[in-house]
Amino acid sequence: MSKIERVEVFVASPGRTFVTLRITTTDGVTGLGDATLNGRELAVASYLRDHVAPLLTGRDPARIEDMWQYLYKGAYWRRGPVTMTAIAAVDTALWDIKGKVASLPVYELLGGRSRDGVLVYSHASGTDVPSLLDDVERYLELGYKAVRAQAAVPDVGGTYGVRKGKVYEPAATELPEEQPWDTEAYLGFAPAYLEAVRERFGFGFHLLHDVHHRLSPIEAARFGKSVEGCRLFWMEDPTPAENQEAFRLIRQHTTTPIAVGEVMNSIWDVQHLITEQLVDYVRTTVVHAGGITHLRRIFDLAALYQVRTGSHGATDLSPVSMAAAVHLDLTVPNFGIQEYMGHPDETAEVFRTGVTFADGMLHPSEEPGLGVEYDEKAAERFPYQRRYLPIARRLDGSVHDW
């Protein structure tokens, strides 16, 4: 019987920082998992190297559910982003191994296709309304059927959501960049530029917008009400989700769909939001919510309450996570949409992935497993670089929600 023989953790920064787990069995089969936690990467790398890897050697790689329970319950200290990201890396790597042993792509092991492809959206942005409109047009010409729109608020100075290079990546500085934020200015400006997008391009595509937790519940309700004419696919993270009852207030005032969950790590974190139907889309991810095994459990719960999936897919998810997400998205009955931002050219030098984009959708590799390879030698050319997400400050100097 095959056993786990070797567990390796790689940290590299090809365009951005990724933590990658590679598990090798006694039969020579390898599996990859993503263990990236944006801005706290080394904490997960240490968790894997120092605490998890010694537990895996000699264990049966086929017992995926048992391994998940072993790592989750055996640690005593449960949940949290570091623990769940580490478990996710192991879980994803084991699914990759199982697919290779079975000579099947992972989506076949999950029950096969429920759809032909995975609808995705990407990020259009601008420093003002004209540049935003030009960027939306660019994505539509690339074939996207769904676009997220963000523009810098005039005269405030913050650039949240605005791409500075080819790929939007907010974690870009050695120490956290502190950006100003003005809620009233945002509430006056954002509806205007979303209306401008609809006025120029019409309603033949899905339009999304990310609030990024920056409004109080009643402010979020006001925003949602003001953009109902734009028919948003969703407003994302309208208010911090620690107080889940807050979403009930938003629901009372607007029919704009709500998406939440990228910072949540387990089914228990989103249970109330789902079962009370306080959100329309759950945005938990393969990498931060315990891997394929646990994310599928979240999606199954969501399906019972007509909540659809909309997993986070920013550049802090490596091509390993993106491949795993696409395999799962392809199979679940309540799929909604998948965020897809692409990666810098340097990332493609380290990761080879069979995921392809066509006609506004992603398509998984048909290779056994996840269809992703990691080039360890290429990764050595991109040593670790510490990068932090920015911090928002109100005009009075106090720290605001990200």
Side-chain angles (χ1 to χ4, degrees), residues 1-7 23-26 53-61 63 67:
M1 179 184 294
S2 179
K3 301 289 184 181
I4 294 174
E5 183 175 66
R6 187 165 64 255
V7 180
I23 295 176
T24 305
T25 71
T26 52
L55 303 177
L56 302 183
T57 304
R59 295 181 65 85
D60 183 353
R63 297 180 60 173
M67 184 75 78

Side-chain angles (χ1 to χ4, degrees), residues 222-241:
R222 170 183 159 193
F223 174 82
K225 185 76 172 176
S226 70
V227 297
E228 285 181 355
C230 296
R231 282 190 265 164
L232 294 186
F233 188 90
W234 74 36
M235 59 175 176
E236 179 183 338
D237 295 336
T239 195

Side-chain angles (χ1 to χ4, degrees), residues 370-381:
L370 294 174
V372 184
E373 295 180 3
Y374 184 79
D375 190 332
E376 183 181 352
K377 292 296 183 183
E380 292 175 356
R381 301 199 303 271

Side-chain angles (χ1 to χ4, degrees), residues 13-24:
S13 297
R16 66 140 296 113
T17 300
F18 300 112
V19 180
T20 305
L21 178 73
R22 185 169 67 195
I23 295 176
T24 305

Side-chain angles (χ1 to χ4, degrees), residues 210-257:
D210 187 359
V211 182
H212 230 291
H213 314 104
R214 295 193 177 188
L215 300 179
S216 70
I218 198 65
E219 289 167 345
R222 170 183 159 193
F223 174 82
K225 185 76 172 176
S226 70
V227 297
E228 285 181 355
C230 296
R231 282 190 265 164
L232 294 186
F233 188 90
W234 74 36
M235 59 175 176
E236 179 183 338
D237 295 336
T239 195
E242 287 90 342
N243 176 16
Q244 298 190 4
E245 276 297 314
F247 289 82
R248 197 178 307 280
L249 186 149
I250 301 172
R251 277 281 201 234
Q252 293 170 354
H253 293 278
T254 181
T255 58
T256 298

Side-chain angles (χ1 to χ4, degrees), residues 270-278 301 305:
V270 295
Q271 177 184 1
H272 185 59
L273 290 170
I274 291 171
T275 59
E276 296 294 318
Q277 294 182 295
L278 300 179
L301 175 65
Y305 294 90

Side-chain angles (χ1 to χ4, degrees), residues 47 51-52 55 68-80 83-84 87 268:
Y47 191 102
H51 303 289
V52 173
L55 303 177
W68 198 96
Q69 300 296 337
Y70 175 77
L71 294 176
Y72 180 81
K73 295 177 178 177
Y76 185 77
W77 309 108
R78 301 182 183 184
R79 297 157 66 177
T83 294
M84 297 303 282
I87 293 175
W268 300 280

